[in-house]
Amino acid sequence: MSVLPLVFTSGWASGINAYAVVFLLGLMGATGISDEVPAQLERTDVLVVAGALFLVEAVADKIPYVDTAWDAVHTVIRPIAGGVVAALIAGQDGSLPQLAAAAVGGTTALASHLVKAGVRMGVNTSPEPASNIIVSLAEDLGVSGIIVLALFHPLPAAIIAAVALVLGVITVIFIMSRIRRYWRRWQARRAARRSRLVQPL
C-alpha cells in the first residue's frame, strides 16, 4: 500500500499542530494500536517532549495575539516537523522515495500552517476571545481525528485533509480584509512600543 496518503495527511496535520501529530503517532505506536508508526516516534523521550510542547501549544493557541506570535515562531518548525515525520513514515534511509515523501510532507505542512496563521489573524480581529478558543479546539480535535483515521484509513483521511486545505485557502481569501486589518493593528502596536522605548528619560 502506498504511504503517500498517510504522508500527505500527516503533513497537513503537522502544519496545524506538529507536536500533537508526533505525540499521537508515537503514542498509538508505543501502545500497539497501530504498527504503521515509525519506531523513532515511539521513543519515551520523544513522547515526553512532544506531549509537554503539545500542552504548551494547547494553552498558547487559545490566547488572542499570543497564538499569532506562536504561529510566527513555528513557521519554520512545523514544515520541518512535517517533512521529518513524512520521511520517517516512508522509511528507506536516503532513498529517493523518502526524500520525495519529506518534500510532500514539508510542503503540505507549510501550506496548512500558512492557512492556519491567516485564519487566526482574521479571528483575532474579533473583540471577544470565545471565537479564538472555539477555532483552536476545532483544530485540536480535527488534528487528533484525522491522524487516528489516517492510520487505519489513509486514503479517506487524505481526501478529508485535501478538502480542508482547499476550504482553508478559500477562507483566507474571503477574510483577507480582516487579515490586513490585523496586520495594520499589529504594526501600529509595534511602532507605539518602539516610540516608548526611544523616548528620553
Side-chain angles (χ1 to χ4, degrees), residues 104-127:
V104 171
T107 303
T108 307
L110 177 61
S112 63
H113 164 76
L114 293 175
V115 167
K116 169 190 167 75
V119 169
R120 284 311 188 83
M121 286 184 182
V123 171
N124 279 337
T125 60
S126 300

Side-chain angles (χ1 to χ4, degrees), residues 78-180:
R78 287 172 182 158
I80 290 176
V84 170
V85 170
L88 291 175
I89 291 173
Q92 301 175 2
D93 290 345
S95 68
L96 184 58
Q98 186 181 40
L99 296 176
V104 171
T107 303
T108 307
L110 177 61
S112 63
H113 164 76
L114 293 175
V115 167
K116 169 190 167 75
V119 169
R120 284 311 188 83
M121 286 184 182
V123 171
N124 279 337
T125 60
S126 300
E128 38 70 38
S131 56
N132 189 283
I133 295 173
I134 291 171
V135 171
S136 178
L137 287 172
E139 290 172 351
D140 293 342
L141 293 173
V143 166
S144 301
I146 202 75
I147 286 299
V148 173
L149 180 63
L151 286 173
F152 300 102
H153 305 286
L155 185 56
I159 293 172
I160 293 171
V163 171
L165 183 58
V166 171
L167 291 177
V169 171
I170 293 172
T171 301
V172 169
I173 295 172
F174 184 73
I175 64 171
M176 188 58 69
S177 61
R178 284 193 171 199
I179 295 173
R180 285 195 291 263

Side-chain angles (χ1 to χ4, degrees), residues 13-39:
S14 294
I16 298 174
N17 193 326
Y19 304 126
V21 171
V22 173
F23 180 72
L24 287 171
L25 285 176
L27 186 64
M28 295 187 73
T31 55
I33 295 176
S34 172
D35 57 2
E36 298 293 328
V37 179

